Amino acid sequence: MQSFRTELENPLVEKDIIDLARKIELFREGKIHEEKFRSLRLARGVYGQRQQGVQMVRIKLPYGKMTFKQWKRIADISDEYSTGNLHLTTRQDIQVHFVSLDRTPELWSKLEQDDITLREACGNTVRNVTASPSAGIDPNEPFDIAPYADATFRYFLRNPICQEMGRKFKIAFSNTDEDTALTYMHDMGFIPKIQDGKRGFKVVLGGGLGAQPMMAKIAHEFLAENEIIPYLEATLRVFDRHGERNSRHKARIKFLIQKIGFEALVQLINDEQKALKSKSFTIDTETGKWAVATEEMPSKTSEVSLEQTPAYELWKATNTFEQKQEGFYGVYVRILNGNIHSTTSRSLIEQLEGYIADDVRVTINQGLMLKYVPEANLPYVYSVLEAHGLAAAGANSMANITACPGTDTCNLAISDSTNITSKLESVITEDFPELIHNNEIKIKISGCMNSCGQHGMANIGFHGSSLKAADKRVLPALQVLLGGGTVGDGVGRVADKVIKVPSKRGPEVLRVVLNNYEENANEGEYFNDYYDRQGEKYFYTLLKPVADLTTLKDDDFIDWGASEQFQTEIGVGECASVIIDLVATLLLESEEKFDWTKAAYEENRFADAIYHAYSVFVSAAKALLLDKSVSASTQSGVIDKFQENFVETGDIALGGKTFQELVLQINKNEPSEEFAKSYIAEAQAFLGLAKAYREELVNA
């Protein structure tokens, strides 16, 4: 691989991209361990996919916002490096697939020319900060939450406290008590409140879906606006130190709560206050990249007029709403499976530019939202969308089903989740057309139990699985879940797993459930209320005939969108497999972290320098523990076990201090220049001791 060069205005970004190119080259040469390289590339938005030798690249769009210029840049990038498809995700990102690993630095460099990043879109980092797409224009919001989401994204991007955590951390901002950003299923969520005339947020903590869904708990009923970033910072520092690192399935903050208790976690967060970089953080709510500038507002008025056809009226009723800004409308656009082609994207940009604001949002149900559409331009916008096959009504209704990519590209998927989505949507539009107005029931599907399609909080959910017939043949299956959803104001419900059925019978499940609901629900009774009244066993009995495996046909053994008989398998990951000295790798990594420590100190970023120095202690200690085959699943465990296995044995002398006393000064001191200087000196001395110990062993 030839040396990669880039010319960007931001030297920090340029260094990051060049570093990725260099690490790819070292990985190809077998000089970086596969696990370490995986962590590094994931933190830069590069994710292995089901097909061998290619990558999925995730483009990070804070709260889903993109300008026309950025949208076009992404479309062009997809053509040049991918397949031309843009996949909109439930976390308001855009993914492109089938990208060569070696071309990812070049791809990233071209995206950054329009201020688009891949950094920390994947990996054990703070993931994309999501928010209600209607933020800033919703008539019911107390205030615009976009500035707070934007500030959160920028504060934690490349922040040393959250670069190598045990697991990912997801943050969401809802703009009303309706909780359209689903804060209750996030590691931390914020809902805007006004108290005594002052802005603040209700804060919920510890939510998550996956195979073991847990709903977030209330951390603060009201936290002042200038305190939300310090609270996040303290939480991330605690999660970094105490979070699980060996078992990925137990590594989210919800499991830390399960392990030590919510009150204990809150106390640890409070104990971090003294060491925070920012005790208070004022957020600019007047100007910023989140704002729509005057020159970005619509400048053209269309003379297109449409007859008031039923299709147009239905679209207007279900896909548009009046903004709080008089005379303007927000417009939701349904995108099947979240997939929109680059050609379609460029055509939409060309025809919509000037007629709507230069501010398009990716929504959490894998669609788009257009902002500041003058009422006079609604017929024109509809006609443009209709010409592209994107004027389907019910953008927020049960007819718009959320689905992850499933077996199309994902390594973990068990059965199809995309082809079946169109079949399920057809059931609604053809058999239950009146439900196109129903925004209360949400249907979601994932290719496996990990809930990327958010099936765990759906009113009606499905996730990919498998079943075994009497003749031992395996067939694709769907786990059916019912009764989940959003209650509001940070409260949600986890769906119950009711029954597993052959995948080809998914549409029949939907027909049976909806027919039963229509026939037996009380007047005005919500679906979840009906589900609660009847109970899980009732629905199990109702669906048991659909799950009957004695009536299988040959077609049941072929998954949706497939032509061959189903078999359970996962895709192949990166093929490079090398044997290297992991202890030496960790010590080299410690030296690199010390270089970051020195750089931050020289730039007067004392809090960052202190945290990098802390990472030097932990990384070097972990290296020596590995040499003794001692494992620790948390950073605090590394600290305790190093004391036990090296200091107390006399192998490493720390001048009368315990290792805990040495390292854990980090949360007992203000991040001053004086403390940074002494702490860094101690980290450097410890790194020297660790290297000397290792060298003596190697040469013995």
Side-chain angles (χ1 to χ4, degrees), residues 314 317-319 332 334 365 392-402 425 428-429 432-444 459:
L314 181 60
T318 61
N319 289 33
Y332 287 100
R334 277 180 66 177
N365 61 353
N396 292 311
S397 77
M398 65 180 299
N400 189 13
I401 297 173
T402 300
E425 290 190 355
I428 298 164
T429 55
F432 305 92
E434 70 281 0
L435 294 180
I436 199 78
H437 294 279
N438 187 313
N439 290 351
E440 173 245 333
I441 300 175
K442 305 296 183 188
I443 303 174
K444 299 174 183 286
N459 305 96

Side-chain angles (χ1 to χ4, degrees), residues 1 37 224 236 271 463 505 547 627 670:
M1 177 178 164
F37 180 71
L236 288 166
D271 291 344
H463 80 66
R505 300 180 187 178
D627 217 21
E670 297 278 348

Side-chain angles (χ1 to χ4, degrees), residues 347-626:
S347 180
L348 289 174
I349 293 165
E350 182 181 346
Q351 294 179 54
L352 292 176
E353 198 165 7
Y355 292 96
I356 67 174
D358 189 8
D359 183 349
V360 177
R361 302 288 170 97
V362 175
T363 68
I364 64 168
N365 61 353
Q366 302 173 292
L368 297 171
M369 198 194 76
L370 315 178
K371 298 176 67 177
Y372 289 95
V373 182
E375 186 171 11
N377 288 350
L378 283 174
Y380 172 73
V381 169
Y382 174 79
S383 66
V384 170
L385 294 174
E386 185 182 37
H388 291 83
L390 297 174
N396 292 311
S397 77
M398 65 180 299
N400 189 13
I401 297 173
T402 300
C404 74
T407 49
D408 289 355
T409 55
C410 180
N411 266 321
L412 301 176
I414 300 171
S415 63
D416 172 78
S417 58
T418 55
N419 290 285
I420 190 177
T421 297
S422 60
K423 305 298 181 184
L424 296 174
E425 290 190 355
S426 294
V427 169
I428 298 164
T429 55
E430 294 171 11
D431 298 356
F432 305 92
E434 70 281 0
L435 294 180
I436 199 78
H437 294 279
N438 187 313
N439 290 351
E440 173 245 333
I441 300 175
K442 305 296 183 188
I443 303 174
K444 299 174 183 286
I445 180 168
S446 303
C448 71
M449 65 183 68
N450 285 306
S451 209
C452 292
Q454 302 173 343
H455 66 264
M457 47 69 59
N459 305 96
I460 302 173
F462 303 91
H463 80 66
S465 189
S466 61
L467 284 167
K468 188 172 287 187
D471 61 4
K472 306 301 182 183
R473 285 189 296 167
V474 178
L475 66 150
L478 291 171
Q479 174 68 57
V480 181
L481 302 95
L482 298 172
T486 303
V487 177
D489 199 22
V491 178
R493 293 167 47 123
V494 176
D496 293 327
K497 291 183 177 180
V498 176
I499 199 168
K500 194 184 289 187
V501 303
S503 288
K504 286 295 178 69
R505 300 180 187 178
E508 183 60 20
V509 168
L510 193 55
R511 288 189 188 94
V512 170
V513 170
L514 293 179
N515 274 323
N516 183 271
Y517 173 55
E518 283 199 340
E519 292 168 6
N520 299 303
N522 297 326
E523 183 70 29
E525 187 174 27
Y526 288 131
F527 179 83
N528 277 0
D529 292 334
Y530 177 66
Y531 175 77
D532 290 343
R533 179 162 64 84
Q534 298 286 26
E536 181 184 339
K537 289 184 178 179
Y538 173 88
F539 283 92
Y540 173 81
T541 303
L542 178 70
L543 293 172
K544 195 172 182 181
V546 185
D548 184 5
L549 299 186
T550 65
T551 58
L552 290 172
K553 301 175 182 177
D554 288 342
D555 187 55
D556 288 318
F557 292 89
I558 301 173
D559 206 356
W560 294 102
S563 56
E564 298 179 357
Q565 185 165 316
F566 175 81
Q567 54 182 337
T568 53
E569 61 180 358
I570 60 171
V572 180
E574 289 75 16
C575 59
S577 180
V578 293
I579 299 173
I580 62 172
D581 186 343
L582 280 177
V583 178
T585 299
L586 281 171
L587 285 173
L588 284 171
E589 185 180 310
S590 302
E591 292 178 343
E592 184 178 39
K593 288 176 178 178
F594 190 72
D595 289 339
W596 300 342
T597 303
K598 290 189 296 182
Y601 182 81
E602 289 166 2
E603 294 168 7
N604 297 325
R605 293 186 289 116
F606 301 124
D608 289 353
I610 291 165
Y611 210 87
H612 283 312
Y614 163 77
S615 298
V616 171
F617 280 117
V618 173
S619 184
K622 187 176 180 179
L624 296 194
L625 285 170
L626 182 62

Side-chain angles (χ1 to χ4, degrees), residues 270-320:
N270 291 337
D271 291 344
E272 286 295 311
Q273 299 302 313
K274 188 173 186 180
L276 297 183
K277 180 195 300 187
S278 304
K279 306 295 190 298
S280 176
F281 191 89
T282 302
I283 292 167
D284 178 7
T285 59
E286 299 299 324
T287 60
K289 292 183 181 294
W290 51 268
V292 182
T294 303
E295 60 272 18
E296 296 171 330
M297 290 291 285
S299 57
K300 301 176 183 178
T301 302
S302 170
E303 296 182 359
V304 170
S305 61
L306 293 175
E307 292 183 18
Q308 303 304 300
T309 63
Y312 174 68
E313 289 300 316
L314 181 60
W315 172 83
K316 188 175 178 182
T318 61
N319 289 33
T320 76

Side-chain angles (χ1 to χ4, degrees), residues 649-661:
T649 60
D651 288 346
I652 297 284
L654 300 177
K657 285 185 178 180
T658 67
F659 194 52
Q660 291 94 333
E661 290 170 339

